[in-house]
Amino acid sequence: MVSQVHEFEVELTSQDCVDVVKKTVEGMEGVNKVDIDLENKRVFIDSNLSSDELLEVLKKTGKKCSYVGVKTA
């Protein structure tokens, strides 16, 4: 699968939330980069994994999350 930047809405309330999400996702095989926008509660994951696979991993953080779509340039 080709690498794409997937956008997720995640219930982020503090820097601690950001740290938990980064720690959970950054070490995964197939994840190239993780960018988090705390103010807008968005997580952008550059990966060759499917959106479903990434969403399942994000759910493991215990945060409410949903898939927004593929980020376009």
Side-chain angles (χ1 to χ4, degrees):
M1 184 178 239
V2 174
S3 180
Q4 295 179 310
V5 177
H6 297 278
E7 180 178 351
F8 298 88
E9 182 174 0
V10 182
E11 182 183 40
L12 301 169
T13 56
S14 68
Q15 185 60 44
D16 288 340
C17 295
V18 170
D19 294 342
V20 167
V21 169
K22 278 194 169 213
K23 183 177 180 183
T24 302
V25 178
E26 280 185 332
M28 290 181 57
E29 187 173 327
V31 172
N32 302 317
K33 185 177 179 185
V34 179
D35 288 317
I36 299 179
D37 180 348
L38 175 59
E39 185 177 332
N40 293 307
K41 302 181 183 312
R42 293 290 197 256
V43 175
F44 302 94
I45 305 173
D46 182 346
S47 175
N48 58 5
L49 299 173
S50 73
S51 59
D52 290 336
E53 290 172 299
L54 295 170
L55 186 58
E56 285 306 309
V57 171
L58 285 171
K59 286 180 179 179
K60 291 179 183 178
T61 65
K63 303 292 177 192
K64 182 179 173 187
C65 52
S66 62
Y67 183 60
V68 175
V70 174
K71 185 178 175 190
T72 56

